[in-house]
Amino acid sequence: MLGDDGLGVLRPRAWADLVAVEGDPTRALAPLRTPRLVMKAGRIEAGEASACGV
């Protein structure tokens, strides 16, 4: 997947694996226990986009 311009970006037709949490997981891991949104390959797997203001 090296050289794939669809990695590391959030835009249409790009790969999208992300976890949206409330809070800063670099300061405490607790926000990771209750993610607001989980996306895999650009599809919402858990949560709702509206919960994240999207």
Side-chain angles (χ1 to χ4, degrees):
M1 302 209 65
L2 292 174
D4 186 334
D5 67 351
L7 296 175
V9 297
L10 290 175
R11 67 169 188 253
R13 292 183 295 280
W15 297 95
D17 292 343
L18 64 92
V19 177
V21 298
E22 188 169 332
D24 184 350
T26 65
R27 294 182 182 259
L29 296 178
L32 295 174
R33 291 188 186 121
T34 54
R36 304 283 303 267
L37 177 75
V38 176
M39 291 185 75
K40 181 177 179 184
R43 297 183 65 188
I44 296 174
E45 297 291 329
E48 296 181 24
S50 62
C52 298
V54 175

